[in-house]
Amino acid sequence: MELGGMTIDSVRAAIASGTTTATAIAEEHYGRIAAEDGPSGDGLTGKGINSFLALSRDRALAQAEKIDRMAAKGEELGPLAGVPVGIKDVLTMKGSPATASSLILKGYMPPYDATAVTRLEAAGAVLLGKLNCDEFAMGSSNENSAYGPVRNPRALDRVPGGSSGGSAAAVAAGFAVASLGSDTGGSIRQPAAFCGVVGVLPTYGRVSRFGLIAFASSLDRVGPFATNVRDAATMLGVLAGQDALDATSSDRPVGDYVGALEKPVKGLRIGVPAEYFGEGLDAEIRAAIERALDGLRAAGCEVKTIALPHTKYAIPTYYVIATAEASANLARFDGVRFGLRAAAGNEGAQTLSAMYRETRDQGFGAEVKRRILLGTYVLSAGYYDAYYRKAQQVRTLLTRDFLAAFAEVDAIVAPITPTPPWKLGEKTADPLQMYLEDIYSVAASLAGICAMSVPCGETASGLPIGVQIMGRHFNEETMLRVALAVETAQA
Ligand code: GLN
């Protein structure tokens, strides 16, 4: 694996002991980005990974110097002291452009930090820059970015997954030790699986979304990527907690996620939903998950088959609700307040409504337009009851499936992707095929439960495979313990 080899604990320990400095570590990561993230060919020697859209060097180095001064004085260092972290470009960072990988936000400089960003920095993280993703987080391959696709560091001709493709790729390539992503219907878990890293979808309400550019507000969540379960737990502990700036954030006490990893998994009941192992599941992924389940059995877990009977409705339900909410959320991009504005004049827009139309026509990509149209349709008079209201009802059934299952088991183990990462361009012509890739990820999103993806082997050709662990609302601790057991069984 081509990771930089550093973990959160190793970075912190090396800085605290004076073996190296936060500044040197930041420079080393910027050096790797400069050497590998850029284009290849025509005398260019990068790998064309294209994970970073903007670097925040001044901010990163100022923070690194601050950490180094603290370390030199022997002051206590935060849990992420000196750790190089990248931020998905749907979260705001003051002083860096925020584009959501869209042309419509080109040039937009947010005047504030997202709460997740503030928390990481307060814990000592060194924020390297903004990471590529699908436009407004809509996609499963990172090919819907206005700034070019991201390549999978583990197989450069393949997609890294999406929408947080840059966040997964940057960690997998060793450009950052951890990163932030957002997950509305799979966008942290699926790219984590494709790039061979860990990705956590915290319970809805667990992590503040203040400063997250909204896609579908009843589904959007912020969460971390890391190279291992322990680092993911450390990141989650820093990110989690109520925020006065986000009314949807929960006041439940934050768990001790790293501490929970000490508890053995012996005796935990693991549910395996039959509906997640149907036809379209790749044989090598199926085999890898069975091996992971064997590992859990060997660690003393009780593994049993469960039913999540409404699973087959998850994709249509998700694509009605997510597009409906997106059509409302994206109405604010009109050329008046943010980013791009279509030029007035003879060739341009003559009236206010023509300016709106032109701006949105030029600024949004094809997939975003498709979703705004779909969402507007399902919300329109005459169709609202048939589509939107019906989808809300099915969402309740999907949630009840999980609540019933969690009365019997402590965690659920299932695939996160039906196939390994595909080749760039392979699925871009058929949006429906792309939507079907989300078959195993969207139900947990609709139900609001926590879920994560952890590496569990690779295909014969060396492509990463991930397994999904789902947990009860606000029981990230048990989910992380199971994930650690899966990780340990492979080592
Ligand atoms: N692939 C899903 C979509 O395109 C999920 C995206 C996400 O989680 N942001 O809607």
Side-chain angles (χ1 to χ4, degrees), residues 88 137-140 162-163 182-187 215 318-319 371 438:
K88 184 179 182 181
M138 298 175 189
S140 306
S163 67
S182 68
D183 189 317
T184 303
S187 280
F215 160 11
Y318 170 81
Y319 275 94
R371 297 201 188 196
D438 302 335

Side-chain angles (χ1 to χ4, degrees), residues 275-276 308-321 387 390-399 401-402 435-436 438-444 446:
E275 295 80 1
Y276 282 65
L308 295 171
H310 296 93
T311 300
K312 62 173 177 290
Y313 302 115
I315 291 251
T317 304
Y318 170 81
Y319 275 94
V320 169
I321 293 175
Y387 296 107
K390 183 62 76 186
Q392 292 293 9
Q393 289 165 338
V394 180
R395 181 176 192 174
T396 302
L397 297 175
L398 283 156
T399 306
D401 278 2
F402 281 108
Y435 297 171
L436 289 173
D438 302 335
I439 182 162
Y440 301 133
S441 59
V442 292
L446 290 160

Side-chain angles (χ1 to χ4, degrees), residues 336-383:
V336 177
R337 284 165 293 185
F338 313 95
L340 182 84
R341 176 178 305 174
N346 286 341
E347 303 288 304
Q350 300 295 313
T351 63
L352 182 63
S353 58
M355 190 280 283
Y356 289 164
R357 232 182 1 255
E358 276 295 306
T359 299
R360 289 166 69 83
D361 184 43
Q362 293 170 19
F364 289 137
E367 182 59 28
V368 173
K369 287 178 184 159
R370 183 177 297 120
R371 297 201 188 196
I372 291 172
L373 289 172
L374 263 169
T376 308
Y377 179 80
V378 300
L379 286 175
S380 57
Y383 296 103

Side-chain angles (χ1 to χ4, degrees), residues 145-228:
S145 167
Y147 307 102
V150 173
R151 290 177 185 277
N152 189 323
R154 296 281 302 272
L156 292 171
D157 58 341
R158 291 182 187 259
V159 300
S163 67
S164 314
S167 302
V171 172
F175 299 159
V177 170
S179 65
L180 275 191
S182 68
D183 189 317
T184 303
S187 280
I188 291 176
R189 292 161 287 157
Q190 185 254 24
F194 276 11
C195 293
V197 298
V198 176
V200 177
L201 168 74
T203 305
Y204 189 82
R206 184 67 298 174
V207 173
S208 169
R209 305 179 300 171
F210 178 73
L212 172 70
I213 297 172
F215 160 11
S217 306
S218 78
L219 295 157
D220 293 343
R221 307 188 216 167
V222 173
F225 288 86
T227 62
N228 63 64

Side-chain angles (χ1 to χ4, degrees), residues 212-297:
L212 172 70
I213 297 172
F215 160 11
S217 306
S218 78
L219 295 157
D220 293 343
R221 307 188 216 167
V222 173
F225 288 86
T227 62
N228 63 64
V229 173
R230 191 181 169 83
D231 281 5
T234 303
M235 287 285 285
L236 183 63
V238 169
L239 295 167
Q242 195 180 18
D243 177 14
L245 298 171
D246 175 1
T248 64
S249 68
S250 169
D251 62 359
R252 293 225 193 186
V254 174
D256 175 5
Y257 305 119
V258 177
L261 299 177
E262 301 299 324
K263 281 198 218 156
V265 292
K266 189 163 190 282
L268 285 183
R269 298 160 304 167
I270 306 294
V272 182
E275 295 80 1
Y276 282 65
F277 292 82
E279 252 170 65
L281 179 60
D282 175 86
E284 288 181 284
I285 295 182
R286 182 189 300 266
I289 291 175
E290 309 245 305
R291 280 196 300 277
L293 289 168
D294 286 342
L296 290 174
R297 280 192 200 92

